[in-house]
Amino acid sequence: MRQKPEPIERCLCDVIHEDVVNQVKDKMPEEETLYDLAELFKVFGDSTRIKILWALDEAEMCVCDIAALLNMTQSAISHQLRVLKQAQLVKNRKEGKVVYYSLDDDHVKQIFDQGLTHINED
Amino acid sequence: MRQKPEPIERCLCDVIHEDVVNQVKDKMPEEETLYDLAELFKVFGDSTRIKILWALDEAEMCVCDIAALLNMTQSAISHQLRVLKQAQLVKNRKEGKVVYYSLDDDHVKQIFDQGLTHINED
DNA sequence: TGAACATATGAATAATTGTTCATATAATAT
DNA sequence: ATATTATATGAACAATTATTCATATGTTCA
């Protein structure tokens, strides 16, 4: 998070396990792919956004509806909808003054379900 | 994130859409469930941890192996492994001085895949 | 045109968080 | 015992972020 890759300490394991480490290194996806993946999950990593997504999976709603539902300010919701939009998880349509938001991704529910499966384990 | 639920502004939509909002409200899962879900995704929302999980999905590795693989300090990795352990995503076994970490969850790869599917869209 | 309403947005702030540094703990070998 | 190695951990710091507040934008209606 802080800064870019840095000098490094070595230990004996690195020699002993060199083969395994190199094999894994070869199999690792692109740095950028993993970064994007983390960025996506970061969007899911906030309970306000989770609630918004969950709500929008039930029904299309306008900004102030969501604010009322979650008992939060319009501004806070609007800021979060912006984040969700940038992540292409929600889309919107304008009807007069009112902007209706809905899910823009079929996998949202599936990602939730995988998460819930983990939580509900043991 | 900051503090607890707060007073709220109302708008006309709340009256017009009252039924929809109430229906959604009834269907929403427990507050705690959604919070836990967000906490779980928060763990996935860091590229260092994503890399660690990805690596461990390929092979069991010790702390300094992971540090070497990712070109990061042992301390940074150790801190992150702690987070992953608390989320019950990894487990470890001790062999002398060396601590080997491995995945403790079958769904990690599936959660990754759902995320990747989203990223690779459009 | 002006008032009212719905939404968006920029700046400020408080809280959270990832990494570093120093050091502690634990195991092994000499 | 002592030195060495592998890992864990607490404090500190910098960076990020969610919400609030004030205000701007855009739409409708009188």
Side-chain angles (χ1 to χ4, degrees), chain B residues 86-107:
Chain B
Q86 280 171 338
Q88 305 188 35
L89 292 171
V90 305
K91 59 179 189 283
N92 58 17
R93 71 184 173 85
K94 208 163 185 179
E95 197 171 291
K97 293 176 283 193
V98 183
V99 180
Y100 291 93
Y101 281 83
S102 57
L103 291 192
D104 190 22
D105 191 288
D106 301 330
H107 325 107

mmCIF file of all heavy atoms in Angstrom, chain B residues 86-107:
data_model
loop_
_atom_site.group_PDB
_atom_site.id
_atom_site.type_symbol
_atom_site.label_atom_id
_atom_site.label_comp_id
_atom_site.label_asym_id
_atom_site.label_seq_id
_atom_site.Cartn_x
_atom_site.Cartn_y
_atom_site.Cartn_z
ATOM 1 N N GLN B 86 -6.948 -14.699 10.714
ATOM 2 C CA GLN B 86 -8.120 -14.274 11.479
ATOM 3 C C GLN B 86 -9.399 -14.422 10.663
ATOM 4 O O GLN B 86 -10.462 -14.706 11.213
ATOM 5 C CB GLN B 86 -7.957 -12.826 11.938
ATOM 6 C CG GLN B 86 -7.073 -12.694 13.170
ATOM 7 C CD GLN B 86 -6.734 -11.248 13.502
ATOM 8 O OE1 GLN B 86 -6.807 -10.384 12.636
ATOM 9 N NE2 GLN B 86 -6.347 -11.007 14.743
ATOM 10 N N ALA B 87 -9.264 -14.229 9.353
ATOM 11 C CA ALA B 87 -10.432 -14.385 8.476
ATOM 12 C C ALA B 87 -10.649 -15.851 8.118
ATOM 13 O O ALA B 87 -11.522 -16.178 7.324
ATOM 14 C CB ALA B 87 -10.263 -13.554 7.215
ATOM 15 N N GLN B 88 -9.826 -16.705 8.701
ATOM 16 C CA GLN B 88 -9.909 -18.148 8.460
ATOM 17 C C GLN B 88 -9.769 -18.508 6.993
ATOM 18 O O GLN B 88 -10.398 -19.444 6.518
ATOM 19 C CB GLN B 88 -11.222 -18.705 9.016
ATOM 20 C CG GLN B 88 -11.396 -18.368 10.486
ATOM 21 C CD GLN B 88 -12.588 -19.064 11.114
ATOM 22 O OE1 GLN B 88 -12.914 -20.200 10.758
ATOM 23 N NE2 GLN B 88 -13.234 -18.403 12.050
ATOM 24 N N LEU B 89 -8.923 -17.740 6.320
ATOM 25 C CA LEU B 89 -8.671 -18.038 4.914
ATOM 26 C C LEU B 89 -7.415 -18.870 4.753
ATOM 27 O O LEU B 89 -7.257 -19.571 3.761
ATOM 28 C CB LEU B 89 -8.548 -16.741 4.117
ATOM 29 C CG LEU B 89 -9.847 -15.931 3.992
ATOM 30 C CD1 LEU B 89 -9.587 -14.573 3.395
ATOM 31 C CD2 LEU B 89 -10.875 -16.701 3.166
ATOM 32 N N VAL B 90 -6.506 -18.781 5.725
ATOM 33 C CA VAL B 90 -5.305 -19.618 5.694
ATOM 34 C C VAL B 90 -5.135 -20.335 7.033
ATOM 35 O O VAL B 90 -5.658 -19.899 8.052
ATOM 36 C CB VAL B 90 -4.031 -18.787 5.402
ATOM 37 C CG1 VAL B 90 -4.170 -17.999 4.115
ATOM 38 C CG2 VAL B 90 -3.690 -17.870 6.566
ATOM 39 N N LYS B 91 -4.418 -21.432 6.973
ATOM 40 C CA LYS B 91 -4.050 -22.136 8.202
ATOM 41 C C LYS B 91 -2.543 -22.364 8.153
ATOM 42 O O LYS B 91 -1.914 -22.142 7.111
ATOM 43 C CB LYS B 91 -4.797 -23.468 8.306
ATOM 44 C CG LYS B 91 -4.560 -24.459 7.174
ATOM 45 C CD LYS B 91 -5.356 -25.733 7.464
ATOM 46 C CE LYS B 91 -5.015 -26.857 6.494
ATOM 47 N NZ LYS B 91 -5.636 -26.713 5.172
ATOM 48 N N ASN B 92 -1.945 -22.782 9.251
ATOM 49 C CA ASN B 92 -0.503 -23.021 9.233
ATOM 50 C C ASN B 92 -0.116 -24.252 10.054
ATOM 51 O O ASN B 92 -0.883 -24.733 10.874
ATOM 52 C CB ASN B 92 0.254 -21.793 9.730
ATOM 53 C CG ASN B 92 -0.172 -21.392 11.138
ATOM 54 O OD1 ASN B 92 -0.776 -22.175 11.865
ATOM 55 N ND2 ASN B 92 0.140 -20.168 11.514
ATOM 56 N N ARG B 93 1.074 -24.728 9.749
ATOM 57 C CA ARG B 93 1.620 -25.828 10.549
ATOM 58 C C ARG B 93 3.089 -25.511 10.787
ATOM 59 O O ARG B 93 3.754 -24.903 9.946
ATOM 60 C CB ARG B 93 1.454 -27.173 9.837
ATOM 61 C CG ARG B 93 2.334 -27.354 8.647
ATOM 62 C CD ARG B 93 2.069 -28.658 7.912
ATOM 63 N NE ARG B 93 2.866 -28.656 6.682
ATOM 64 C CZ ARG B 93 4.149 -29.037 6.627
ATOM 65 N NH1 ARG B 93 4.759 -29.458 7.719
ATOM 66 N NH2 ARG B 93 4.814 -28.974 5.494
ATOM 67 N N LYS B 94 3.561 -25.893 11.928
ATOM 68 C CA LYS B 94 4.923 -25.550 12.322
ATOM 69 C C LYS B 94 5.823 -26.763 12.121
ATOM 70 O O LYS B 94 5.453 -27.874 12.488
ATOM 71 C CB LYS B 94 4.928 -25.142 13.795
ATOM 72 C CG LYS B 94 6.020 -24.180 14.167
ATOM 73 C CD LYS B 94 5.708 -23.527 15.495
ATOM 74 C CE LYS B 94 6.749 -22.460 15.834
ATOM 75 N NZ LYS B 94 6.439 -21.804 17.106
ATOM 76 N N GLU B 95 6.983 -26.529 11.553
ATOM 77 C CA GLU B 95 7.961 -27.602 11.371
ATOM 78 C C GLU B 95 9.308 -27.034 11.807
ATOM 79 O O GLU B 95 9.997 -26.391 11.017
ATOM 80 C CB GLU B 95 7.979 -28.031 9.906
ATOM 81 C CG GLU B 95 8.637 -29.370 9.653
ATOM 82 C CD GLU B 95 8.428 -29.843 8.209
ATOM 83 O OE1 GLU B 95 7.264 -30.172 7.849
ATOM 84 O OE2 GLU B 95 9.407 -29.883 7.457
ATOM 85 N N GLY B 96 9.651 -27.265 13.053
ATOM 86 C CA GLY B 96 10.849 -26.635 13.599
ATOM 87 C C GLY B 96 10.643 -25.143 13.681
ATOM 88 O O GLY B 96 9.620 -24.689 14.192
ATOM 89 N N LYS B 97 11.584 -24.396 13.148
ATOM 90 C CA LYS B 97 11.456 -22.947 13.175
ATOM 91 C C LYS B 97 10.495 -22.445 12.106
ATOM 92 O O LYS B 97 9.975 -21.340 12.194
ATOM 93 C CB LYS B 97 12.832 -22.302 12.898
ATOM 94 C CG LYS B 97 13.860 -22.513 13.951
ATOM 95 C CD LYS B 97 15.205 -21.920 13.532
ATOM 96 C CE LYS B 97 15.918 -22.787 12.521
ATOM 97 N NZ LYS B 97 17.343 -22.399 12.344
ATOM 98 N N VAL B 98 10.326 -23.291 11.096
ATOM 99 C CA VAL B 98 9.590 -22.838 9.914
ATOM 100 C C VAL B 98 8.081 -23.036 10.059
ATOM 101 O O VAL B 98 7.630 -24.084 10.508
ATOM 102 C CB VAL B 98 10.096 -23.598 8.667
ATOM 103 C CG1 VAL B 98 9.397 -23.087 7.422
ATOM 104 C CG2 VAL B 98 11.609 -23.455 8.548
ATOM 105 N N VAL B 99 7.325 -22.019 9.679
ATOM 106 C CA VAL B 99 5.869 -22.105 9.702
ATOM 107 C C VAL B 99 5.350 -22.126 8.277
ATOM 108 O O VAL B 99 5.601 -21.195 7.504
ATOM 109 C CB VAL B 99 5.249 -20.921 10.469
ATOM 110 C CG1 VAL B 99 3.729 -21.027 10.479
ATOM 111 C CG2 VAL B 99 5.792 -20.851 11.883
ATOM 112 N N TYR B 100 4.682 -23.200 7.943
ATOM 113 C CA TYR B 100 4.134 -23.337 6.591
ATOM 114 C C TYR B 100 2.667 -22.924 6.574
ATOM 115 O O TYR B 100 1.888 -23.375 7.406
ATOM 116 C CB TYR B 100 4.275 -24.768 6.095
ATOM 117 C CG TYR B 100 5.706 -25.168 5.817
ATOM 118 C CD1 TYR B 100 6.474 -25.805 6.796
ATOM 119 C CD2 TYR B 100 6.301 -24.881 4.592
ATOM 120 C CE1 TYR B 100 7.802 -26.156 6.551
ATOM 121 C CE2 TYR B 100 7.612 -25.223 4.342
ATOM 122 C CZ TYR B 100 8.365 -25.860 5.320
ATOM 123 O OH TYR B 100 9.661 -26.195 5.074
ATOM 124 N N TYR B 101 2.335 -22.106 5.604
ATOM 125 C CA TYR B 101 0.951 -21.642 5.456
ATOM 126 C C TYR B 101 0.299 -22.285 4.234
ATOM 127 O O TYR B 101 0.964 -22.550 3.231
ATOM 128 C CB TYR B 101 0.906 -20.125 5.310
ATOM 129 C CG TYR B 101 1.050 -19.387 6.616
ATOM 130 C CD1 TYR B 101 2.309 -19.144 7.157
ATOM 131 C CD2 TYR B 101 -0.066 -18.958 7.327
ATOM 132 C CE1 TYR B 101 2.448 -18.479 8.364
ATOM 133 C CE2 TYR B 101 0.066 -18.287 8.536
ATOM 134 C CZ TYR B 101 1.321 -18.048 9.043
ATOM 135 O OH TYR B 101 1.448 -17.401 10.242
ATOM 136 N N SER B 102 -0.997 -22.503 4.354
ATOM 137 C CA SER B 102 -1.759 -23.021 3.210
ATOM 138 C C SER B 102 -3.193 -22.510 3.308
ATOM 139 O O SER B 102 -3.599 -21.978 4.338
ATOM 140 C CB SER B 102 -1.736 -24.548 3.210
ATOM 141 O OG SER B 102 -2.255 -25.042 4.427
ATOM 142 N N LEU B 103 -3.947 -22.671 2.237
ATOM 143 C CA LEU B 103 -5.324 -22.201 2.235
ATOM 144 C C LEU B 103 -6.169 -23.018 3.206
ATOM 145 O O LEU B 103 -5.977 -24.202 3.362
ATOM 146 C CB LEU B 103 -5.929 -22.293 0.826
ATOM 147 C CG LEU B 103 -5.382 -21.325 -0.218
ATOM 148 C CD1 LEU B 103 -6.279 -21.342 -1.456
ATOM 149 C CD2 LEU B 103 -5.282 -19.911 0.330
ATOM 150 N N ASP B 104 -7.118 -22.342 3.832
ATOM 151 C CA ASP B 104 -8.003 -23.009 4.775
ATOM 152 C C ASP B 104 -9.442 -22.949 4.277
ATOM 153 O O ASP B 104 -10.375 -23.097 5.037
ATOM 154 C CB ASP B 104 -7.899 -22.337 6.145
ATOM 155 C CG ASP B 104 -8.619 -23.132 7.216
ATOM 156 O OD1 ASP B 104 -8.829 -24.344 7.017
ATOM 157 O OD2 ASP B 104 -8.990 -22.535 8.246
ATOM 158 N N ASP B 105 -9.598 -22.665 2.979
ATOM 159 C CA ASP B 105 -10.946 -22.471 2.469
ATOM 160 C C ASP B 105 -11.024 -22.897 1.012
ATOM 161 O O ASP B 105 -10.207 -22.514 0.192
ATOM 162 C CB ASP B 105 -11.324 -20.999 2.595
ATOM 163 C CG ASP B 105 -12.794 -20.786 2.337
ATOM 164 O OD1 ASP B 105 -13.203 -20.894 1.177
ATOM 165 O OD2 ASP B 105 -13.520 -20.525 3.311
ATOM 166 N N ASP B 106 -12.044 -23.672 0.709
ATOM 167 C CA ASP B 106 -12.198 -24.181 -0.653
ATOM 168 C C ASP B 106 -12.703 -23.122 -1.616
ATOM 169 O O ASP B 106 -12.546 -23.239 -2.829
ATOM 170 C CB ASP B 106 -13.201 -25.350 -0.670
ATOM 171 C CG ASP B 106 -12.742 -26.471 0.236
ATOM 172 O OD1 ASP B 106 -11.516 -26.638 0.398
ATOM 173 O OD2 ASP B 106 -13.610 -27.173 0.785
ATOM 174 N N HIS B 107 -13.335 -22.072 -1.080
ATOM 175 C CA HIS B 107 -14.015 -21.118 -1.958
ATOM 176 C C HIS B 107 -13.122 -20.000 -2.459
ATOM 177 O O HIS B 107 -13.530 -19.232 -3.305
ATOM 178 C CB HIS B 107 -15.220 -20.505 -1.259
ATOM 179 C CG HIS B 107 -15.933 -21.436 -0.359
ATOM 180 N ND1 HIS B 107 -15.869 -21.340 1.001
ATOM 181 C CD2 HIS B 107 -16.689 -22.514 -0.629
ATOM 182 C CE1 HIS B 107 -16.582 -22.302 1.543
ATOM 183 N NE2 HIS B 107 -17.087 -23.047 0.583
#
